[in-house]
Amino acid sequence: MIAVKYGAIELSELVTWADAIILELENPPTELFDVSLAKSVSQTVSALNQLGVGALCNKSELSKSVFGIFHNYLNSENPNYERISKALFDMYMENLIPDAESGTYMVSYWDELDLAELGHYGNVEEVKLSMKNLINEKKR
C-alpha cells in the first residue's frame, strides 16, 4: 500500500501481482479481484486495506520488502525523493521499520530534505544519498 500510495510502484505492476496470485490460489480472497480490477491508486489502496496483508506479515520483513521497491524506484529515471521521505516517515509512524536504528533515520529524512531544499540547513544531495544508502542496506 505504501509503495503504491507514494508512487514507487505502478498500478499496472500491482495488478500483475494480484493476477498472478489469483491464478495460483484455488480460492483467492475476493479482495484480490478488487486489486486486479482497480483503476486508480485510491481504489488499489482501499482494496489492499481490505485485504489486510500487513496484519499477516512480520513488520520488519514487510518493511524490508517495501525498501526493495523503494530501492528500484530511487534508481529509476525520475525518482521523487520528497515522496519517499514522506513514505519513510509514515512507515516509522506505523512502526513499519526494519530495526530500531533505521527508525531514527526514517523519521528525520522528510524534515532534513525539506530544510536542505529551502537552503536552511544541510545539503540536498547528501540527504538523498543517505536515504538511498539506508534503503539499499535494509532492503530484502
Side-chain angles (χ1 to χ4, degrees):
M1 288 183 300
I2 290 175
V4 171
K5 183 178 177 180
Y6 291 98
I9 189 169
E10 295 292 323
L11 182 60
S12 60
E13 294 174 82
L14 200 55
V15 168
T16 301
W17 168 81
D19 289 345
I21 293 175
I22 289 168
L23 293 173
E24 276 182 27
L25 298 176
E26 190 172 315
N27 294 311
T30 56
E31 294 85 3
L32 274 177
F33 291 97
D34 293 337
V35 174
S36 176
L37 298 171
K39 301 292 182 214
S40 69
V41 170
S42 62
Q43 287 178 341
T44 305
V45 169
S46 177
L48 288 170
N49 275 328
Q50 294 298 317
L51 185 60
V53 174
L56 304 174
C57 299
N58 173 298
K59 286 190 174 193
S60 175
E61 291 303 311
L62 182 58
S63 67
K64 291 175 185 177
S65 294
V66 173
F67 275 29
I69 294 168
F70 288 169
H71 170 77
N72 293 339
Y73 174 71
L74 290 178
N75 287 301
S76 68
E77 194 171 309
N78 293 310
N80 185 321
Y81 282 85
E82 177 94 16
R83 272 194 216 159
I84 300 305
S85 67
K86 173 67 166 107
L88 292 173
F89 177 83
D90 288 348
M91 288 175 69
Y92 173 82
M93 297 305 286
E94 294 176 24
N95 198 32
L96 189 59
I97 58 175
D99 54 58
E101 182 184 357
S102 299
T104 61
Y105 295 103
M106 292 168 64
V107 74
S108 66
Y109 285 129
W110 192 29
D111 284 337
E112 286 181 23
L113 188 59
D114 190 41
L115 290 170
E117 286 175 341
L118 292 171
H120 296 301
Y121 180 80
N123 178 289
V124 173
E125 294 309 314
E126 287 177 9
V127 175
K128 288 179 179 180
L129 181 60
S130 177
M131 191 179 350
K132 213 172 174 181
N133 287 340
L134 175 72
I135 289 170
N136 186 47
E137 179 182 313
K138 301 297 178 175
K139 73 179 177 8
R140 182 172 69 149

